[in-house]
């Protein structure tokens, strides 16, 4: 008689799997499934087991990709920060800090078409669950500090200058508020909403 075991043996949630190589799991697809559940049912109401079942993967595979539920929510922040940082470094030296930052934020907020829906759900879930903000706080702080240094350099000032700090934090806050507004109310592209918001500060 064949022994039974509770240990997961594949990326499928059931044991009736086909033989051969295990299928590859797409982290972005799993994130979308999770964020839809979080957005529709509430972050606290959905467990990692619920996500695994809905995504059609084993719990072991899910935890290997995402150590906790918060990681499922914040997965796209690094990509945004990378696009934004690269764009900022490539701006012409003749541009003012405001013009350069507006252009870089537009590029950073230009998410690939297949990432727009997951981004909308991600921002909605974060907005509905303020306790999640601390998870991405380190990356947000690093990004804001980079903006402060950029503004100081372009404006010929020092990073501890009050005007520099206020302008940099105002731009960062405006971009964040614009993305949240887009997630809750907008039906266009996120980069257009961010661009419109930063134009208000020009």
């Amino acid at each position: 008689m064949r022994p039974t075991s509770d240990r997961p043996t594949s990326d499928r949630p059931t044991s009736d799997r086909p033989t051969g190589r295990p299928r590859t799991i797409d982290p972005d697809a799993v994130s979308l499934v999770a964020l839809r559940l979080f957005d529709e049912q509430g972050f606290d109401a959905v467990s990692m087991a619920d996500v695994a079942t809905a995504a059609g993967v084993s719990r072991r595979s899910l935890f290997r990709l995402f150590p906790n539920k918060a990681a499922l929510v914040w997965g796209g922040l690094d990509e945004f920060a990378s696009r934004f940082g690269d764009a900022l470094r490539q701006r012409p030296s003749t541009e003012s800090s405001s013009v350069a930052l507006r252009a870089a934020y537009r590029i950073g907020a230009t998410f690939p078409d297949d990432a727009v829906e997951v981004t909308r759900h991600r921002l909605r879930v974060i907005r509905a669950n303020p306790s999640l903000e601390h998870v991405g706080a380190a990356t947000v702080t690093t990004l804001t500090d980079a903006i402060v240094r950029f503004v100081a350099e372009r404006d010929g000032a020092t990073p501890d200058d009050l005007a520099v700090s206020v302008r940099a934090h105002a731009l960062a806050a405006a971009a964040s508020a614009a993305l949240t507004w887009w997630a809750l109310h907008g039906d266009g592209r996120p980069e257009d909403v961010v661009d419109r918001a930063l134009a208000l500060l020009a």
Side-chain angles (χ1 to χ4, degrees):
M1 184 173 182
R2 190 174 170 180
T4 59
S5 172
D6 292 330
R7 295 178 59 191
T9 57
S10 77
D11 292 334
R12 290 176 174 269
T14 59
S15 59
D16 54 340
R17 64 185 179 92
T19 58
R21 296 178 61 187
R23 66 191 178 92
T24 300
I25 299 175
D26 180 359
D28 293 335
V30 174
S31 290
L32 178 57
V33 169
L35 287 162
R36 282 172 174 167
L37 291 175
F38 296 155
D39 196 10
E40 295 165 3
Q41 301 180 25
F43 181 76
D44 292 332
V46 178
S47 68
M48 289 290 273
D50 294 331
V51 173
T53 299
V57 301
S58 69
R59 290 183 62 192
R60 181 177 62 183
S61 295
L62 179 62
F63 277 106
R64 189 162 54 235
L65 291 170
F66 303 98
N68 50 55
K69 289 197 299 180
L72 283 158
V73 176
W74 281 99
L77 181 59
D78 289 340
E79 288 84 353
F80 169 86
S82 178
R83 280 197 306 274
F84 174 81
D86 289 344
L88 199 58
R89 285 187 291 272
Q90 294 169 13
R91 299 313 302 170
S93 60
T94 54
E95 284 184 344
S96 67
S97 59
S98 296
V99 171
L101 282 165
R102 181 177 171 185
Y105 261 118
R106 182 177 183 88
I107 292 172
T110 303
F111 298 93
D113 290 342
D114 59 0
V116 171
E117 182 186 356
V118 72
T119 300
R120 186 185 295 276
H121 285 298
R122 175 176 288 120
L123 292 168
R124 287 169 60 94
V125 171
I126 293 171
R127 174 67 174 79
N129 299 273
S131 62
L132 288 171
E133 292 180 0
H134 77 279
V135 179
T139 302
V140 171
T141 297
T142 299
L143 191 62
T144 304
D145 288 346
I147 295 171
V148 170
R149 291 192 299 272
F150 181 85
V151 172
E153 181 181 348
R154 287 292 171 101
D155 293 0
T158 60
D160 58 357
D161 183 273
L162 175 62
V164 168
S165 181
V166 169
R167 288 188 60 232
H169 282 80
L171 284 164
S176 177
L179 284 170
T180 299
W181 181 90
W182 165 80
L184 296 173
H185 309 292
D187 56 3
R189 293 284 307 185
E191 64 268 27
D192 293 332
V193 174
V194 169
D195 194 55
R196 283 164 46 200
L198 295 187
L200 298 174
L201 301 181

